[in-house]
Amino acid sequence: MINLSGKRAIVFGVADKTSIAWAISKWLADAGAKITLSYQTRFRSRLVQLTKDVEWIEHMGECDVAYDDQVRDFFNGLEGKYDMIVHAIGYAPATALSKPVIFTNEEDYKTAMVISSYSLQRIVRHSLRVLNPGSSFVTLTYLGAERVVPGYRIMGVAKAALEAFVRELSVDIGGMGHRINAISSGPIKTLAASHVPGFDNILGFMEHTSPLRRNVNQDDVGKTALFLLSDLASGITGQTIYVDVGFNTTALPTDIEKVKFE
Ligand SMILES: NC(=O)c1ccc[n+]([C@@H]2O[C@H](COP(=O)([O-])OP(=O)(O)OC[C@H]3O[C@@H](n4cnc5c(N)ncnc54)[C@H](O)[C@@H]3O)[C@@H](O)[C@H]2O)c1
């Protein structure tokens, strides 16, 4: 049993009850941690509704990670010290997601990279002054960072940079005793995922062909985040850990002998 009593976490990326960040928050809170939520203004009313009567939330604040001053001001507005930070943020403009990357323009590229990748560096940099020694960060990535997944497009480029940031940042903050890791989650139906073309087919293929013959859910990811953020993972940093029901180990569908080609 992981005991996080007396520990405090800051979670970025809750948009609604399907958010991976919400599941992570609940697992951390179940283990005894107090949670501060940072959210985008456009989700304010959903967040107010979602957190009504939730006693383990100690603070909530708006922050758009596209802007350095908003991230700085968010951390300046906090009191006391924290132990865990979750970065569960991803975004690419629809104009980029709807086209192959060969047509991605510079502006959309910058937006996807800043929000989905550089924002991790921003959060780490501005958070250092509020962290206890030996703190831990977790971010969320996807297999599209290292292999081509149809429809993922510019997000694959941004997630590849995010995973590289995790390795680089592990060295930058390791001397302070802090750790940082990424969870490479399998596909889960959330608001962000609904923007990926063909997402339902990806879910169907995963269920059919992954070693565990099912899809990943938010709790699978929440439990791994709890482990990585806790002292049980004290020797793990700079890693990308798959929580994908084993899919990344497969190369071809398990029933390849039944596949017919025209
Ligand atoms: N759902 C999946 O299939 C899947 C798989 C692997 C990785 N991920 C990653 O998990 C993370 C969480 O996504 P999710 O699937 O829970 O979807 P979600 O839509 O619930 O969460 C995405 C979050 O990003 C936030 N965000 C976007 N732009 C922002 C900005 N400018 N400033 C602040 N916040 C911003 C949104 O407010 C939202 O809370 C993302 O990094 C996503 O890429 C998701």
Side-chain angles (χ1 to χ4, degrees), residues 13-16 18-21 40 42-43 63-66 88-91 115 140-142 152 155 159 185-193 199:
V14 177
D16 71 3
T18 68
S19 293
I20 295 171
Q40 258 184 313
R42 66 193 175 110
F43 294 120
C63 176
D64 189 326
V65 299
I89 291 173
Y91 174 78
I115 296 176
L140 270 300
T141 184
Y142 180 53
Y152 204 56
M155 278 304 292
K159 291 294 192 191
S185 167
I188 301 176
K189 217 165 189 158
T190 60
L191 284 178
F199 192 77

Side-chain angles (χ1 to χ4, degrees), residues 195-206:
H195 301 298
V196 176
F199 192 77
D200 283 343
N201 281 1
I202 294 175
L203 286 180
F205 188 77
M206 282 283 297

Side-chain angles (χ1 to χ4, degrees), residues 137-139 141 162-163 166-168 170 179-184 228 233 235-242:
F137 294 83
V138 159
T139 186
T141 184
L162 180 76
E163 292 181 13
V166 168
R167 289 185 289 273
E168 289 288 337
S170 72
R179 299 181 295 105
I180 182 163
N181 293 289
I183 294 174
S184 185
L228 286 172
I236 302 176
T237 194
Q239 303 301 307
T240 296
I241 310 281
Y242 296 99

Side-chain angles (χ1 to χ4, degrees), residues 50-241:
L50 184 64
T51 58
K52 200 165 45 107
D53 307 325
V54 178
E55 78 290 347
W56 40 262
I57 295 199
E58 58 174 357
H59 177 68
M60 299 207 326
E62 292 176 14
C63 176
D64 189 326
V65 299
Y67 304 99
D68 200 72
D69 55 348
Q70 289 202 22
V71 179
R72 183 201 59 210
D73 293 349
F74 173 79
F75 283 104
N76 282 343
L78 299 178
E79 280 174 15
K81 297 284 185 191
Y82 292 80
D83 310 282
M84 300 162 270
I85 297 194
V86 176
H87 170 277
I89 291 173
Y91 174 78
T95 43
L97 275 179
S98 62
K99 288 183 247 161
V101 293
I102 197 165
F103 300 117
T104 303
N105 64 43
E106 190 174 330
E107 196 187 332
D108 285 353
Y109 172 73
K110 283 183 184 159
T111 302
M113 293 298 278
V114 167
I115 296 176
S116 307
S117 173
Y118 184 68
S119 65
L120 178 67
Q121 186 262 31
R122 263 188 186 147
I123 286 171
V124 171
R125 177 162 41 90
H126 286 298
S127 68
L128 292 177
R129 47 168 287 280
V130 304
L131 293 183
N132 282 317
S135 290
S136 180
F137 294 83
V138 159
T139 186
L140 270 300
T141 184
Y142 180 53
L143 188 62
E146 48 186 307
R147 295 206 243 152
V148 176
V149 175
Y152 204 56
R153 298 176 168 159
I154 198 62
M155 278 304 292
V157 179
K159 291 294 192 191
L162 180 76
E163 292 181 13
F165 256 130
V166 168
R167 289 185 289 273
E168 289 288 337
L169 288 166
S170 72
V171 177
D172 298 348
I173 64 174
M176 292 168 248
H178 304 321
R179 299 181 295 105
I180 182 163
N181 293 289
I183 294 174
S184 185
S185 167
I188 301 176
K189 217 165 189 158
T190 60
L191 284 178
S194 66
H195 301 298
V196 176
F199 192 77
D200 283 343
N201 281 1
I202 294 175
L203 286 180
F205 188 77
M206 282 283 297
E207 188 173 350
H208 184 70
T209 204
S210 66
L212 288 180
R213 312 294 201 283
R214 68 168 174 91
N215 273 292
V216 175
N217 59 50
Q218 286 88 338
D219 285 331
D220 291 319
V221 180
K223 285 184 255 187
T224 305
L226 168 62
F227 161 68
L228 286 172
L229 291 165
S230 80
D231 199 47
L232 287 187
S234 56
I236 302 176
T237 194
Q239 303 301 307
T240 296
I241 310 281

